[in-house]
Amino acid sequence: MSHDHDDRPQLTPAQAEAALNPPPGRNGGDLVVESLQGLGATTVFGLPGQHALGMFDALRRSSLSYVGLRVENNAGFAADAYGRITGEVAPLLLSTGPGALTSLAALQEAAAASAPVLAISSQIPTAGLGGGRHGYLHELRDQQASVRDIVKSVHTVRTASQIPSAIAAAWESALTAPHGPVWVEIPQDVLLAETVLPVVSPMDATPRELYPRPELTVAAAHLLSNAERPAIIAGGGVVRSDASGKLLALAERINAPVVTTFGGKGAFPWEHPLSLRSWLEDRHTTDFLESADVLLVVGSGLGELSSNYHTFRPRGRVVQIEADAGKLESNHPGLGIHSDAREALADLLEAVEERPDQDAPERVRTVLEKVRARIDAQDLTLEQQVLASVREALPDASPSFWDMTILAYWAWSAFDARRPNTMHSAQGAGGLGYGFPAAVGAAAADPTTPVLAVSGDGGAMYSIAELATARQYGLPVTWLIVDDGGYGILREYMTGAFGEATATELARPDFVALAESFGVPGVRTTPESLAADLAKALAEPGPSVVVLPALLRMFEPTHL
């Protein structure tokens, strides 16, 4: 029996020589960083801790660029953004116990948004595992159990020889559609022990492609080609799989109006005649989508926000393309196609017939005019002015990262993300504190492009420490803090539900003075000067803070 070795990685003579004579003074931590380098990583995020020091010491013997944040959860948000922006795996180095646990909310967001984050956590020494000695600092009875419900896969290491394969397997898992966070766990003594193993050579951890089954493509193409009133809902899967171009081509071929979900912002051109934009919390949009005789849902599970709080009741046939098999037909019955969005749209493009429809743009205009009239009737000029000012100041190619704050809720529906993969928020898991550390991660991915973060004063307090990080690395992140003296959206929710709000009012610092104490320039602005102040801050190198004291109100969503 012969084997074809042509497709296997081959060592250069220099690499073969190095394998026989590995440099002295290496430990398990070196195997970690060599594995990451061998897989193509260039940047890692994290925060050191006692059990993880072997990994961090090895960084100085590597070519990896390290971005250290001040809180593990913020390091996780930074890695999440790096993964979203680049489409590459973002390594996140963590310590045991409290360090590991503090990252979990960020990993929940990465899971919800399909961001490829590779968390590598230390563990107590092997002598304490599996019911051995107890009483180690940071010890958890079962650390993996704390992460297993959140991440895609867990990979445990117990000896040095297992490190490269575990990291390669985790890397492949993180990048297999749907992307997501994964977890590798390595005991302290394994990281610290000297090793004579050869230097890890370049490794191949190519993710498995997820193609649609051909019979499903044929059935979906037939439905769409013969539809009278097709429509498309484009979710985050379109952005993650870099399928915006394919979506545009398909929509134009079958003349189908397109709504983008909040996670799919930028997946379809905002000003296109077929663009219904993102007004998902609006009954006019919901009615339009319900009236479609064939509804194509791409890269969305039609969850709470995308279904107008589960009031959406499609009357036609639903065709759902989704990389996460668990989301197929999970909220609405239909023709479920388990596939990466890009691959499925490519196949559909080849299979559908052109479908002329002169009336589709007019139907889109009618819906958008109804939405506009409803918003205009609510006297929300200030809110629209502030959002328009942000759009005016932000360069088209600059990514923006939005915390869970009233201006972000507006942006989900009303902000024109002019390029795919430029607008990101924490709407997947919905935790506070995402905006600024995520922007730090995006700036680390591309320090040549200014990045915008948007927070309320409540959410800003979660990540104030990262002003030091942005300053330390000189990253071009401008942070817009809308200061309304509390948790604004919760204030609205509680007042609406109970007549008054409790636990929503906050004492807060002078954000401008606080920023300047970090060596970060700050400015207090007004709605009238916001566009100019924001544009000026974005144009200058390094981090900056713009504070807007304003009480913004949310538009009234309509579910009924």
Side-chain angles (χ1 to χ4, degrees), residues 154-218:
V154 172
H155 308 260
T156 56
V157 167
R158 293 296 177 257
T159 67
S161 297
Q162 297 171 6
I163 289 173
S165 293
I167 290 177
W171 185 281
E172 185 174 329
S173 174
L175 278 186
T176 296
H179 293 175
V182 294
W183 188 271
V184 177
E185 188 177 275
I186 311 173
Q188 178 189 28
D189 53 323
V190 176
L191 289 170
L192 291 175
E194 282 200 36
T195 182
V196 293
L197 287 171
V199 173
V200 180
S201 63
M203 292 192 288
D204 187 17
T206 308
R208 182 176 48 84
E209 296 291 348
L210 188 55
Y211 296 111
R213 297 211 318 273
E215 75 275 16
L216 299 177
T217 300
V218 168

Short mmCIF file of all heavy atoms in Angstrom, two decimals, residues 154-218:
data_model
loop_
_atom_site.label_atom_id
_atom_site.label_comp_id
_atom_site.label_asym_id
_atom_site.label_seq_id
_atom_site.Cartn_x
_atom_site.Cartn_y
_atom_site.Cartn_z
N VAL A 154 -13.81 22.15 23.73
CA VAL A 154 -12.83 22.21 24.82
C VAL A 154 -11.73 21.20 24.53
O VAL A 154 -12.00 20.05 24.16
CB VAL A 154 -13.50 21.89 26.18
CG1 VAL A 154 -12.45 21.76 27.27
CG2 VAL A 154 -14.51 22.97 26.54
N HIS A 155 -10.47 21.63 24.67
CA HIS A 155 -9.32 20.78 24.36
C HIS A 155 -8.39 20.78 25.58
O HIS A 155 -7.89 21.83 25.97
CB HIS A 155 -8.59 21.31 23.13
CG HIS A 155 -9.51 21.54 21.96
ND1 HIS A 155 -9.63 20.66 20.91
CD2 HIS A 155 -10.38 22.55 21.70
CE1 HIS A 155 -10.53 21.12 20.05
NE2 HIS A 155 -10.99 22.26 20.50
N THR A 156 -8.19 19.62 26.18
CA THR A 156 -7.37 19.55 27.39
C THR A 156 -5.99 19.00 27.06
O THR A 156 -5.83 18.11 26.23
CB THR A 156 -8.03 18.66 28.45
OG1 THR A 156 -8.27 17.37 27.88
CG2 THR A 156 -9.33 19.26 28.93
N VAL A 157 -4.99 19.57 27.73
CA VAL A 157 -3.60 19.15 27.58
C VAL A 157 -3.11 18.64 28.92
O VAL A 157 -3.37 19.26 29.96
CB VAL A 157 -2.73 20.34 27.11
CG1 VAL A 157 -1.25 20.02 27.24
CG2 VAL A 157 -3.08 20.72 25.68
N ARG A 158 -2.40 17.51 28.92
CA ARG A 158 -1.84 17.00 30.17
C ARG A 158 -0.34 16.72 30.06
O ARG A 158 0.31 16.48 31.06
CB ARG A 158 -2.59 15.72 30.60
CG ARG A 158 -4.05 15.97 31.00
CD ARG A 158 -4.14 16.85 32.23
NE ARG A 158 -5.52 17.17 32.60
CZ ARG A 158 -6.11 18.34 32.37
NH1 ARG A 158 -5.45 19.30 31.74
NH2 ARG A 158 -7.35 18.57 32.75
N THR A 159 0.19 16.74 28.83
CA THR A 159 1.64 16.58 28.64
C THR A 159 2.09 17.53 27.54
O THR A 159 1.28 17.96 26.70
CB THR A 159 2.01 15.14 28.22
OG1 THR A 159 1.48 14.89 26.91
CG2 THR A 159 1.49 14.11 29.20
N ALA A 160 3.39 17.84 27.51
CA ALA A 160 3.92 18.78 26.53
C ALA A 160 3.67 18.33 25.09
O ALA A 160 3.37 19.14 24.21
CB ALA A 160 5.41 18.98 26.76
N SER A 161 3.77 17.03 24.84
CA SER A 161 3.59 16.52 23.47
C SER A 161 2.19 16.79 22.93
O SER A 161 2.00 16.80 21.71
CB SER A 161 3.86 15.01 23.43
OG SER A 161 5.19 14.72 23.77
N GLN A 162 1.23 17.00 23.82
CA GLN A 162 -0.16 17.20 23.38
C GLN A 162 -0.44 18.64 22.96
O GLN A 162 -1.46 18.91 22.32
CB GLN A 162 -1.12 16.82 24.52
CG GLN A 162 -1.06 15.36 24.92
CD GLN A 162 -1.87 15.07 26.19
OE1 GLN A 162 -2.56 15.95 26.70
NE2 GLN A 162 -1.78 13.85 26.68
N ILE A 163 0.47 19.57 23.29
CA ILE A 163 0.17 21.00 23.08
C ILE A 163 -0.06 21.34 21.61
O ILE A 163 -1.12 21.92 21.28
CB ILE A 163 1.28 21.88 23.70
CG1 ILE A 163 1.20 21.82 25.22
CG2 ILE A 163 1.15 23.33 23.22
CD1 ILE A 163 2.34 22.53 25.95
N PRO A 164 0.86 21.02 20.68
CA PRO A 164 0.63 21.45 19.30
C PRO A 164 -0.66 20.90 18.69
O PRO A 164 -1.40 21.64 18.03
CB PRO A 164 1.86 20.93 18.55
CG PRO A 164 2.92 20.83 19.61
CD PRO A 164 2.19 20.39 20.84
N SER A 165 -0.95 19.63 18.93
CA SER A 165 -2.16 19.04 18.34
C SER A 165 -3.43 19.63 18.94
O SER A 165 -4.42 19.85 18.23
CB SER A 165 -2.15 17.52 18.55
OG SER A 165 -1.11 16.93 17.80
N ALA A 166 -3.42 19.89 20.25
CA ALA A 166 -4.60 20.48 20.90
C ALA A 166 -4.87 21.87 20.34
O ALA A 166 -6.03 22.22 20.06
CB ALA A 166 -4.41 20.53 22.41
N ILE A 167 -3.82 22.66 20.19
CA ILE A 167 -4.01 24.03 19.69
C ILE A 167 -4.44 24.00 18.23
O ILE A 167 -5.32 24.77 17.81
CB ILE A 167 -2.72 24.85 19.91
CG1 ILE A 167 -2.54 25.11 21.41
CG2 ILE A 167 -2.77 26.18 19.14
CD1 ILE A 167 -1.29 25.85 21.79
N ALA A 168 -3.88 23.09 17.44
CA ALA A 168 -4.28 22.97 16.03
C ALA A 168 -5.74 22.55 15.91
O ALA A 168 -6.50 23.08 15.07
CB ALA A 168 -3.38 21.98 15.30
N ALA A 169 -6.17 21.60 16.74
CA ALA A 169 -7.57 21.14 16.70
C ALA A 169 -8.52 22.27 17.11
O ALA A 169 -9.59 22.45 16.52
CB ALA A 169 -7.74 19.93 17.61
N ALA A 170 -8.12 23.03 18.13
CA ALA A 170 -8.95 24.16 18.58
C ALA A 170 -9.03 25.23 17.50
O ALA A 170 -10.10 25.80 17.23
CB ALA A 170 -8.38 24.74 19.87
N TRP A 171 -7.92 25.50 16.86
CA TRP A 171 -7.85 26.49 15.78
C TRP A 171 -8.82 26.12 14.66
O TRP A 171 -9.60 26.95 14.17
CB TRP A 171 -6.42 26.54 15.26
CG TRP A 171 -6.11 27.57 14.22
CD1 TRP A 171 -6.39 27.52 12.89
CD2 TRP A 171 -5.41 28.81 14.43
NE1 TRP A 171 -5.92 28.64 12.26
CE2 TRP A 171 -5.31 29.45 13.18
CE3 TRP A 171 -4.85 29.43 15.55
CZ2 TRP A 171 -4.68 30.68 13.02
CZ3 TRP A 171 -4.22 30.66 15.38
CH2 TRP A 171 -4.14 31.28 14.14
N GLU A 172 -8.78 24.86 14.26
CA GLU A 172 -9.67 24.38 13.20
C GLU A 172 -11.13 24.50 13.61
O GLU A 172 -11.99 24.92 12.83
CB GLU A 172 -9.33 22.93 12.86
CG GLU A 172 -10.12 22.36 11.70
CD GLU A 172 -9.66 20.96 11.32
OE1 GLU A 172 -8.46 20.65 11.48
OE2 GLU A 172 -10.51 20.19 10.84
N SER A 173 -11.42 24.18 14.86
CA SER A 173 -12.79 24.28 15.37
C SER A 173 -13.27 25.73 15.35
O SER A 173 -14.40 26.02 14.95
CB SER A 173 -12.85 23.71 16.80
OG SER A 173 -14.13 23.91 17.37
N ALA A 174 -12.41 26.66 15.77
CA ALA A 174 -12.79 28.07 15.82
C ALA A 174 -13.15 28.60 14.45
O ALA A 174 -14.03 29.46 14.31
CB ALA A 174 -11.66 28.90 16.43
N LEU A 175 -12.48 28.10 13.40
CA LEU A 175 -12.68 28.63 12.04
C LEU A 175 -13.64 27.82 11.20
O LEU A 175 -13.94 28.19 10.07
CB LEU A 175 -11.33 28.68 11.31
CG LEU A 175 -10.45 29.90 11.59
CD1 LEU A 175 -9.23 29.87 10.69
CD2 LEU A 175 -11.21 31.20 11.41
N THR A 176 -14.13 26.69 11.73
CA THR A 176 -15.14 25.92 11.00
C THR A 176 -16.49 26.60 11.18
O THR A 176 -16.88 26.96 12.29
CB THR A 176 -15.19 24.47 11.52
OG1 THR A 176 -13.93 23.84 11.26
CG2 THR A 176 -16.29 23.68 10.83
N ALA A 177 -17.21 26.80 10.08
CA ALA A 177 -18.50 27.50 10.15
C ALA A 177 -19.50 26.71 10.99
O ALA A 177 -19.61 25.49 10.83
CB ALA A 177 -19.05 27.70 8.73
N PRO A 178 -20.23 27.40 11.88
CA PRO A 178 -20.08 28.81 12.22
C PRO A 178 -18.85 29.05 13.10
O PRO A 178 -18.56 28.25 13.99
CB PRO A 178 -21.36 29.12 12.98
CG PRO A 178 -21.72 27.82 13.65
CD PRO A 178 -21.29 26.75 12.69
N HIS A 179 -18.12 30.14 12.82
CA HIS A 179 -16.99 30.50 13.67
C HIS A 179 -17.44 30.61 15.13
O HIS A 179 -18.63 30.79 15.41
CB HIS A 179 -16.43 31.87 13.26
CG HIS A 179 -15.78 31.87 11.91
ND1 HIS A 179 -15.30 33.01 11.31
CD2 HIS A 179 -15.54 30.88 11.01
CE1 HIS A 179 -14.78 32.73 10.14
NE2 HIS A 179 -14.93 31.44 9.93
N GLY A 180 -16.47 30.54 16.05
CA GLY A 180 -16.84 30.69 17.45
C GLY A 180 -15.65 30.54 18.37
O GLY A 180 -14.54 30.21 17.93
N PRO A 181 -15.87 30.77 19.66
CA PRO A 181 -14.78 30.65 20.63
C PRO A 181 -14.53 29.19 21.00
O PRO A 181 -15.45 28.37 21.03
CB PRO A 181 -15.31 31.43 21.84
CG PRO A 181 -16.80 31.27 21.75
CD PRO A 181 -17.13 31.20 20.28
N VAL A 182 -13.26 28.88 21.28
CA VAL A 182 -12.86 27.53 21.70
C VAL A 182 -11.93 27.67 22.90
O VAL A 182 -11.42 28.76 23.18
CB VAL A 182 -12.17 26.76 20.55
CG1 VAL A 182 -13.14 26.49 19.42
CG2 VAL A 182 -10.96 27.54 20.03
N TRP A 183 -11.68 26.57 23.59
CA TRP A 183 -10.96 26.61 24.86
C TRP A 183 -9.89 25.53 24.90
O TRP A 183 -10.18 24.36 24.62
CB TRP A 183 -11.95 26.39 26.00
CG TRP A 183 -11.41 26.59 27.39
CD1 TRP A 183 -10.82 25.65 28.18
CD2 TRP A 183 -11.43 27.79 28.16
NE1 TRP A 183 -10.47 26.20 29.39
CE2 TRP A 183 -10.83 27.52 29.41
CE3 TRP A 183 -11.89 29.08 27.90
CZ2 TRP A 183 -10.69 28.47 30.41
CZ3 TRP A 183 -11.76 30.04 28.90
CH2 TRP A 183 -11.16 29.74 30.13
N VAL A 184 -8.67 25.92 25.23
CA VAL A 184 -7.57 24.98 25.46
C VAL A 184 -7.09 25.19 26.89
O VAL A 184 -6.93 26.33 27.33
CB VAL A 184 -6.40 25.20 24.49
CG1 VAL A 184 -5.25 24.25 24.81
CG2 VAL A 184 -6.85 25.01 23.04
N GLU A 185 -6.85 24.09 27.60
CA GLU A 185 -6.48 24.19 29.02
C GLU A 185 -5.18 23.42 29.27
O GLU A 185 -5.08 22.25 28.90
CB GLU A 185 -7.63 23.58 29.85
CG GLU A 185 -7.50 23.76 31.32
CD GLU A 185 -8.72 23.18 32.02
OE1 GLU A 185 -9.74 23.90 32.12
OE2 GLU A 185 -8.68 22.01 32.43
N ILE A 186 -4.19 24.10 29.87
CA ILE A 186 -2.86 23.51 30.06
C ILE A 186 -2.39 23.74 31.50
O ILE A 186 -2.33 24.89 31.95
CB ILE A 186 -1.83 24.12 29.09
CG1 ILE A 186 -2.37 24.14 27.65
CG2 ILE A 186 -0.51 23.35 29.15
CD1 ILE A 186 -1.48 24.87 26.66
N PRO A 187 -2.03 22.68 32.23
CA PRO A 187 -1.59 22.86 33.62
C PRO A 187 -0.29 23.66 33.73
O PRO A 187 0.56 23.66 32.83
CB PRO A 187 -1.39 21.42 34.11
CG PRO A 187 -2.22 20.58 33.20
CD PRO A 187 -2.17 21.26 31.87
N GLN A 188 -0.13 24.30 34.89
CA GLN A 188 1.03 25.15 35.15
C GLN A 188 2.35 24.40 34.97
O GLN A 188 3.28 24.90 34.35
CB GLN A 188 0.94 25.70 36.57
CG GLN A 188 2.12 26.57 36.98
CD GLN A 188 2.10 26.91 38.46
OE1 GLN A 188 1.56 26.15 39.27
NE2 GLN A 188 2.68 28.06 38.82
N ASP A 189 2.43 23.20 35.52
CA ASP A 189 3.71 22.48 35.47
C ASP A 189 4.08 22.07 34.05
O ASP A 189 5.26 22.01 33.70
CB ASP A 189 3.69 21.27 36.40
CG ASP A 189 2.51 20.34 36.15
OD1 ASP A 189 1.41 20.86 35.85
OD2 ASP A 189 2.66 19.12 36.25
N VAL A 190 3.08 21.83 33.19
CA VAL A 190 3.34 21.48 31.80
C VAL A 190 3.88 22.70 31.05
O VAL A 190 4.78 22.60 30.21
CB VAL A 190 2.08 20.93 31.12
CG1 VAL A 190 2.32 20.65 29.63
CG2 VAL A 190 1.61 19.66 31.83
N LEU A 191 3.35 23.88 31.40
CA LEU A 191 3.83 25.11 30.76
C LEU A 191 5.26 25.45 31.19
O LEU A 191 6.03 26.02 30.40
CB LEU A 191 2.90 26.28 31.11
CG LEU A 191 1.51 26.27 30.46
CD1 LEU A 191 0.64 27.35 31.08
CD2 LEU A 191 1.61 26.47 28.95
N LEU A 192 5.60 25.11 32.43
CA LEU A 192 6.90 25.50 32.97
C LEU A 192 8.01 24.48 32.71
O LEU A 192 9.20 24.82 32.72
CB LEU A 192 6.80 25.75 34.48
CG LEU A 192 5.99 26.98 34.90
CD1 LEU A 192 5.87 27.03 36.42
CD2 LEU A 192 6.63 28.26 34.38
N ALA A 193 7.63 23.23 32.50
CA ALA A 193 8.65 22.17 32.36
C ALA A 193 9.49 22.37 31.11
O ALA A 193 8.97 22.65 30.02
CB ALA A 193 7.97 20.81 32.33
N GLU A 194 10.79 22.20 31.26
CA GLU A 194 11.67 22.28 30.10
C GLU A 194 11.32 21.17 29.12
O GLU A 194 10.87 20.10 29.50
CB GLU A 194 13.13 22.15 30.54
CG GLU A 194 13.69 23.42 31.14
CD GLU A 194 15.21 23.45 31.12
OE1 GLU A 194 15.81 22.94 30.15
OE2 GLU A 194 15.78 23.97 32.09
N THR A 195 11.52 21.46 27.84
CA THR A 195 11.21 20.46 26.82
C THR A 195 12.38 20.34 25.85
O THR A 195 13.07 21.32 25.56
CB THR A 195 9.93 20.82 26.05
OG1 THR A 195 9.65 19.80 25.10
CG2 THR A 195 10.07 22.15 25.31
N VAL A 196 12.60 19.13 25.37
CA VAL A 196 13.59 18.91 24.32
C VAL A 196 12.88 18.55 23.01
O VAL A 196 13.52 18.13 22.05
CB VAL A 196 14.58 17.79 24.71
CG1 VAL A 196 15.43 18.23 25.88
CG2 VAL A 196 13.85 16.48 25.03
N LEU A 197 11.54 18.73 22.98
CA LEU A 197 10.80 18.49 21.74
C LEU A 197 11.29 19.46 20.66
O LEU A 197 11.67 20.60 20.96
CB LEU A 197 9.30 18.69 21.97
CG LEU A 197 8.58 17.62 22.78
CD1 LEU A 197 7.17 18.07 23.11
CD2 LEU A 197 8.53 16.31 21.98
N PRO A 198 11.26 19.03 19.40
CA PRO A 198 11.67 19.95 18.33
C PRO A 198 10.78 21.19 18.27
O PRO A 198 9.62 21.16 18.71
CB PRO A 198 11.48 19.09 17.06
CG PRO A 198 11.51 17.69 17.52
CD PRO A 198 10.93 17.70 18.91
N VAL A 199 11.32 22.27 17.73
CA VAL A 199 10.54 23.49 17.50
C VAL A 199 9.36 23.14 16.59
O VAL A 199 9.52 22.42 15.60
CB VAL A 199 11.40 24.59 16.86
CG1 VAL A 199 10.56 25.79 16.47
CG2 VAL A 199 12.52 25.00 17.82
N VAL A 200 8.18 23.64 16.94
CA VAL A 200 6.97 23.32 16.16
C VAL A 200 7.08 23.96 14.78
O VAL A 200 7.31 25.16 14.65
CB VAL A 200 5.71 23.82 16.89
CG1 VAL A 200 4.46 23.47 16.08
CG2 VAL A 200 5.63 23.23 18.29
N SER A 201 6.91 23.16 13.75
CA SER A 201 6.98 23.67 12.38
C SER A 201 5.61 24.17 11.94
O SER A 201 4.60 23.91 12.62
CB SER A 201 7.46 22.57 11.44
OG SER A 201 6.54 21.50 11.43
N PRO A 202 5.52 24.89 10.81
CA PRO A 202 4.21 25.36 10.34
C PRO A 202 3.20 24.21 10.26
O PRO A 202 3.52 23.13 9.77
CB PRO A 202 4.52 25.93 8.96
CG PRO A 202 5.94 26.40 9.08
CD PRO A 202 6.61 25.38 9.98
N MET A 203 1.99 24.49 10.78
CA MET A 203 0.96 23.45 10.84
C MET A 203 -0.22 23.84 9.97
O MET A 203 -0.50 25.02 9.77
CB MET A 203 0.47 23.27 12.29
CG MET A 203 1.52 22.69 13.21
SD MET A 203 0.80 22.19 14.79
CE MET A 203 0.46 23.77 15.54
N ASP A 204 -0.92 22.84 9.50
CA ASP A 204 -2.11 23.06 8.68
C ASP A 204 -3.33 22.69 9.51
O ASP A 204 -3.47 21.54 9.93
CB ASP A 204 -2.03 22.21 7.41
CG ASP A 204 -3.14 22.54 6.44
OD1 ASP A 204 -3.76 23.61 6.61
OD2 ASP A 204 -3.39 21.74 5.53
N ALA A 205 -4.17 23.67 9.78
CA ALA A 205 -5.42 23.39 10.50
C ALA A 205 -6.57 24.00 9.71
O ALA A 205 -7.30 24.85 10.19
CB ALA A 205 -5.37 23.96 11.92
N THR A 206 -6.67 23.58 8.46
CA THR A 206 -7.68 24.15 7.57
C THR A 206 -9.08 23.72 8.00
O THR A 206 -9.33 22.52 8.18
CB THR A 206 -7.44 23.67 6.12
OG1 THR A 206 -6.09 23.94 5.78
CG2 THR A 206 -8.37 24.38 5.16
N PRO A 207 -9.98 24.68 8.20
CA PRO A 207 -11.33 24.30 8.62
C PRO A 207 -12.06 23.52 7.54
O PRO A 207 -11.80 23.70 6.34
CB PRO A 207 -12.01 25.65 8.89
CG PRO A 207 -11.23 26.64 8.09
CD PRO A 207 -9.83 26.13 8.06
N ARG A 208 -12.94 22.66 7.97
CA ARG A 208 -13.75 21.89 7.03
C ARG A 208 -14.77 22.81 6.36
O ARG A 208 -15.46 23.58 7.03
CB ARG A 208 -14.47 20.79 7.83
CG ARG A 208 -15.33 19.84 7.02
CD ARG A 208 -15.89 18.77 7.93
NE ARG A 208 -16.47 19.31 9.16
CZ ARG A 208 -17.71 19.77 9.24
NH1 ARG A 208 -18.50 19.78 8.19
NH2 ARG A 208 -18.17 20.24 10.39
N GLU A 209 -14.83 22.77 5.04
CA GLU A 209 -15.82 23.59 4.32
C GLU A 209 -17.22 23.01 4.53
O GLU A 209 -17.39 21.79 4.59
CB GLU A 209 -15.49 23.63 2.82
CG GLU A 209 -14.17 24.30 2.49
CD GLU A 209 -14.17 25.79 2.75
OE1 GLU A 209 -15.25 26.36 2.98
OE2 GLU A 209 -13.08 26.39 2.75
N LEU A 210 -18.20 23.90 4.61
CA LEU A 210 -19.57 23.47 4.83
C LEU A 210 -20.39 23.83 3.60
O LEU A 210 -20.83 24.97 3.42
CB LEU A 210 -20.13 24.16 6.09
CG LEU A 210 -21.49 23.71 6.61
CD1 LEU A 210 -21.52 22.21 6.87
CD2 LEU A 210 -21.83 24.47 7.88
N TYR A 211 -20.56 22.84 2.72
CA TYR A 211 -21.26 23.08 1.46
C TYR A 211 -22.72 22.68 1.58
O TYR A 211 -23.07 21.75 2.31
CB TYR A 211 -20.61 22.27 0.34
CG TYR A 211 -19.19 22.67 0.03
CD1 TYR A 211 -18.12 21.82 0.34
CD2 TYR A 211 -18.90 23.89 -0.56
CE1 TYR A 211 -16.81 22.18 0.05
CE2 TYR A 211 -17.59 24.26 -0.85
CZ TYR A 211 -16.56 23.40 -0.53
OH TYR A 211 -15.27 23.77 -0.81
N PRO A 212 -23.61 23.33 0.79
CA PRO A 212 -25.03 22.93 0.81
C PRO A 212 -25.23 21.64 0.05
O PRO A 212 -24.48 21.33 -0.88
CB PRO A 212 -25.72 24.10 0.10
CG PRO A 212 -24.69 24.65 -0.81
CD PRO A 212 -23.38 24.48 -0.10
N ARG A 213 -26.24 20.89 0.46
CA ARG A 213 -26.56 19.68 -0.31
C ARG A 213 -27.24 20.09 -1.62
O ARG A 213 -28.11 20.97 -1.64
CB ARG A 213 -27.48 18.78 0.51
CG ARG A 213 -26.83 18.28 1.79
CD ARG A 213 -27.33 16.90 2.20
NE ARG A 213 -28.76 16.72 2.06
CZ ARG A 213 -29.66 17.06 2.99
NH1 ARG A 213 -29.27 17.59 4.13
NH2 ARG A 213 -30.95 16.85 2.79
N PRO A 214 -26.85 19.48 -2.74
CA PRO A 214 -27.32 19.97 -4.05
C PRO A 214 -28.83 19.89 -4.24
O PRO A 214 -29.41 20.74 -4.91
CB PRO A 214 -26.57 19.08 -5.05
CG PRO A 214 -26.03 17.93 -4.26
CD PRO A 214 -25.86 18.40 -2.86
N GLU A 215 -29.47 18.86 -3.65
CA GLU A 215 -30.92 18.76 -3.85
C GLU A 215 -31.66 19.92 -3.16
O GLU A 215 -32.71 20.37 -3.62
CB GLU A 215 -31.45 17.40 -3.34
CG GLU A 215 -31.54 17.23 -1.82
CD GLU A 215 -30.25 16.78 -1.18
OE1 GLU A 215 -29.17 16.88 -1.84
OE2 GLU A 215 -30.29 16.34 -0.02
N LEU A 216 -31.07 20.43 -2.07
CA LEU A 216 -31.68 21.57 -1.38
C LEU A 216 -31.49 22.86 -2.18
O LEU A 216 -32.39 23.71 -2.24
CB LEU A 216 -31.08 21.73 0.03
CG LEU A 216 -31.28 20.54 0.97
CD1 LEU A 216 -30.58 20.79 2.30
CD2 LEU A 216 -32.77 20.28 1.20
N THR A 217 -30.34 22.99 -2.82
CA THR A 217 -30.10 24.16 -3.67
C THR A 217 -31.10 24.18 -4.82
O THR A 217 -31.67 25.23 -5.15
CB THR A 217 -28.66 24.14 -4.22
OG1 THR A 217 -27.75 24.17 -3.11
CG2 THR A 217 -28.40 25.32 -5.13
N VAL A 218 -31.32 23.03 -5.44
CA VAL A 218 -32.28 22.94 -6.56
C VAL A 218 -33.68 23.34 -6.10
O VAL A 218 -34.37 24.13 -6.76
CB VAL A 218 -32.28 21.51 -7.15
CG1 VAL A 218 -33.47 21.33 -8.10
CG2 VAL A 218 -30.98 21.23 -7.88
#
